[in-house]
Amino acid sequence: MVLVHGTWADMAKTWNTMAPALKEEGYCVFALNYGSKKPGSGQNLLDMVGGDTIEDSASTLAQFVDRVRNSTGAGQVDLIGHSQGALVAREYLKSGGGSDPGAPSNNTVHTLVSLAGTNQGTSFNLNQQLGAIAEMLGIPVIGLAAATVGPSYVEQMTGSPFLKQLNAGPDTLPGIKYVAVGTKDDLMVTPPEHSFLEPAQGSDIQNIWIQDGCESAHVDHMQVTSHPRAIWLTKKALDPAYQESSPGRCT
């Protein structure tokens, strides 16, 4: 499986709890860093990981998945994407060669687990509205953001041209299992229900709150890659039989 981090948090920081937990279950785990500043580019000048355009990051993911499949001999991989990582994975599936809607048996991905993904866009806890006001006042916030921290930040905002393209048509594709996990305590994906996916008819998809059956679980945006409940839900998404031998925990 391949782990895909989010915006401004590299693979080591994001997966330091999740990756060992998955390895303990016998999974072969790979992760990558993506989205750094391109040489000569006028964007992402601060060289923030995950700052590049999501389309280019999806191309990086496509190349990485090909290397994983070639080195392991696996026909398919599972993807786990946190935050922006879910969009990178979905762009790879839709436009980067990760799926074949006409012949789903050719898909390179079996399961996509989205952890607090910015799937329907986010206001970044009112930052989008504040930015819109600044733009009205003549302050070029969008251009400044792309130049400093990279275009992916703006692309994740609700209603962005990128999200309109990605979400045109169904959010899900044939032959791929989707599990979207959201947390009601999320202050980065706002509103939190924007973590969820709109299923195509007949698609294999689950939208799950961390708090389903565990109302006492308080899990923020970053903790969704390390909290015991989130790890349990991820393992269950990858193997539904997991819950039979390992009951879920709320703390």
Side-chain angles (χ1 to χ4, degrees), residues 58-248:
S59 178
T60 299
L61 174 61
Q63 295 171 34
F64 188 79
V65 169
D66 285 346
R67 291 200 299 271
V68 169
R69 292 174 64 221
N70 289 335
S71 65
T72 62
Q76 292 184 317
V77 300
D78 296 322
L79 298 178
I80 301 176
H82 174 240
S83 194
Q84 182 199 161
L87 297 184
V88 173
R90 290 180 55 215
E91 174 68 10
Y92 163 58
L93 291 175
K94 182 172 184 178
S95 304
S99 70
D100 185 346
S105 61
N106 294 331
N107 292 346
T108 64
V109 174
H110 179 271
T111 300
L112 169 59
V113 182
S114 167
L115 300 175
T118 49
N119 288 303
Q120 306 303 327
T122 175
S123 66
F124 286 114
N125 199 18
L126 299 181
N127 284 354
Q128 183 178 20
Q129 289 91 326
L130 293 174
I133 293 171
E135 289 280 346
M136 290 175 61
L137 295 174
I139 303 172
V141 175
I142 293 176
L144 289 172
T148 55
V149 298
S152 67
Y153 179 70
V154 175
E155 288 179 329
Q156 293 175 80
M157 290 184 176
T158 303
S160 73
F162 169 79
L163 280 173
K164 288 180 180 179
Q165 169 270 321
L166 179 65
N167 291 334
D171 291 351
T172 58
L173 294 165
I176 297 169
K177 177 182 177 181
Y178 295 83
V179 178
V181 179
T183 175
K184 296 178 181 180
D185 300 314
D186 204 327
L187 295 179
M188 290 299 293
V189 182
T190 50
E193 55 266 29
H194 276 200
S195 292
F196 293 149
L197 293 165
E198 294 291 335
Q201 185 174 3
S203 61
D204 186 355
I205 180 173
Q206 290 179 288
N207 288 316
I208 305 169
W209 288 115
I210 289 279
Q211 290 80 12
D212 286 346
C214 285
E215 292 299 323
S216 63
H218 295 289
V219 183
D220 67 23
H221 184 74
M222 291 305 298
Q223 289 172 328
V224 80
T225 64
S226 59
H227 190 277
R229 181 68 176 175
I231 292 173
W232 184 83
L233 286 170
T234 300
K235 292 179 179 179
K236 177 174 171 284
L238 296 168
D239 178 13
Y242 175 74
Q243 62 183 327
E244 298 175 7
S245 58
S246 301

